[in-house]
Amino acid sequence: MTLIPPPRLVRLDTARLLAGITTRTSNLEEMNPLTGKIPALWGRFFAEQVAQSVPGYTPQAALYGAYSGYASDVNGAYDLTAAVQAQEVPEGLHSLEIPAGAYMVFEGQGAMPQTVLALWAAVWQYFENAPAHPRRYAVDFEEYTGEGRIAVYIGVTVAGSGVD
């Protein structure tokens, strides 16, 4: 069982450019192993050595799973990009910008994929309970920093603060 501490509010002061590969899916599709696309996306990411094709990539660099193009909310379709941070995006790869702004960060460490699944369960539970900072449904992302460490950043609106 993965212990998940309470989320914390952070502000990213600068945008991040990512380069990677993308698929379109939904949480409903991902609940069924026959229709889920996320395992195949990550499998392709590693098999095709996508990270290694990005200029400036090092083995110590974080990996990202970035969610964007939301059709609606937790029940709608979205794009998922398996990526690394980039200064430039090589031809043939998808580019995505993680915008600066406010994010609720959920962190954990442990075996994959159990840890990432536990973190997303914590995200959904947190936002079901009328949070003070509602989701933006713009760009959310997972940041994998090695040794089973993951942080899930959920874009939020912080009312009255100018931070979003």
Side-chain angles (χ1 to χ4, degrees):
M1 170 132 175
T2 302
L3 177 64
I4 311 236
R8 60 190 173 89
L9 181 65
V10 300
R11 171 154 181 83
L12 295 182
D13 291 326
T14 58
R16 298 179 187 177
L17 178 64
L18 302 182
I21 57 174
T22 302
T23 193
R24 186 139 183 100
T25 190
S26 69
N27 290 333
L28 182 61
E29 286 180 88
E30 294 306 317
M31 298 295 176
N32 181 341
L34 299 176
T35 58
K37 298 175 184 172
I38 293 175
L41 177 72
W42 283 107
R44 185 177 152 221
F45 180 84
F46 291 115
E48 296 178 9
Q49 299 186 335
V50 172
Q52 291 83 343
S53 72
V54 176
Y57 167 79
T58 67
Q60 296 77 31
L63 301 181
Y64 292 85
Y67 299 78
S68 62
Y70 287 101
S72 58
D73 57 15
V74 69
N75 299 308
Y78 54 84
D79 295 327
L80 173 60
T81 303
V84 294
Q85 199 163 346
Q87 296 298 318
E88 59 182 273
V89 179
E91 188 173 331
L93 293 186
H94 178 80
S95 67
L96 178 69
E97 183 177 273
I98 295 173
Y103 292 83
M104 291 301 298
V105 182
F106 298 77
E107 297 174 287
Q109 182 171 2
M112 297 297 163
Q114 296 86 352
T115 301
V116 72
L117 295 173
L119 282 170
W120 277 106
V123 167
W124 296 328
Q125 182 179 9
Y126 177 86
F127 286 100
E128 280 178 6
N129 295 323
H133 311 298
R135 284 185 74 174
R136 286 192 310 233
Y137 288 102
V139 176
D140 303 314
F141 64 97
E142 302 158 351
E143 182 179 55
Y144 297 88
T145 53
E147 299 178 15
R149 287 187 308 270
I150 179 175
V152 176
Y153 289 70
I154 304 295
V156 295
T157 300
V158 180
S161 72
V163 176
D164 54 74

